[in-house]
Amino acid sequence: MKFVFSQDYKIFRRCMIAARKDAKLTQETLAKSLKKPQSFVAKYENGERRLDVIEFLLVTRLIGVDPCDILKKVEQEISEASCEEEV
């Protein structure tokens, strides 16, 4: 299995996983709400596939989080990571 995603995308995935867990949802529960197999959630969380924008919006709605909040958190963590690299 090959992963071709950047460090920035790892941050995105980490934020999405945290949001799902904060909502007290398992991969299986979220997948059922999405009408997808559990492997759909596992694959985007593990970096085997990407979420497109429409999927991202649907997932955030089902998790119960504002998509803008996720993106702000991702941007903040990316900025912090790039500052650490410069030091």
Side-chain angles (χ1 to χ4, degrees):
M1 174 175 351
K2 187 175 182 181
F3 303 99
V4 293
F5 301 121
S6 67
Q7 186 63 31
D8 293 349
Y9 201 78
K10 281 184 182 179
I11 291 170
F12 172 75
R13 289 187 301 122
R14 191 170 54 237
C15 289
M16 292 297 290
I17 292 167
R20 175 182 58 77
K21 289 181 176 181
D22 287 348
K24 308 279 192 261
L25 295 173
T26 64
Q27 287 183 349
E28 188 169 337
T29 305
L30 177 57
K32 283 182 183 178
S33 297
L34 291 164
K35 297 183 171 98
K36 302 273 189 184
Q38 176 270 334
S39 61
F40 173 83
V41 177
K43 285 181 180 180
Y44 77 72
E45 287 188 354
N46 291 327
E48 294 177 50
R49 75 176 304 279
R50 286 185 180 253
L51 283 178
D52 69 26
V53 174
I54 302 304
E55 291 168 335
F56 168 71
L57 293 173
L58 179 58
V59 169
T60 56
R61 184 175 359 156
L62 292 172
I63 289 173
V65 65
D66 185 330
C68 293
D69 291 343
I70 293 278
L71 295 176
K72 286 176 191 170
K73 182 160 180 57
V74 170
E75 175 60 27
Q76 178 184 11
E77 289 192 24
I78 289 171
S79 294
E80 289 171 1
S82 65
C83 288
E84 290 173 5
E85 289 175 4
E86 291 175 6
V87 175

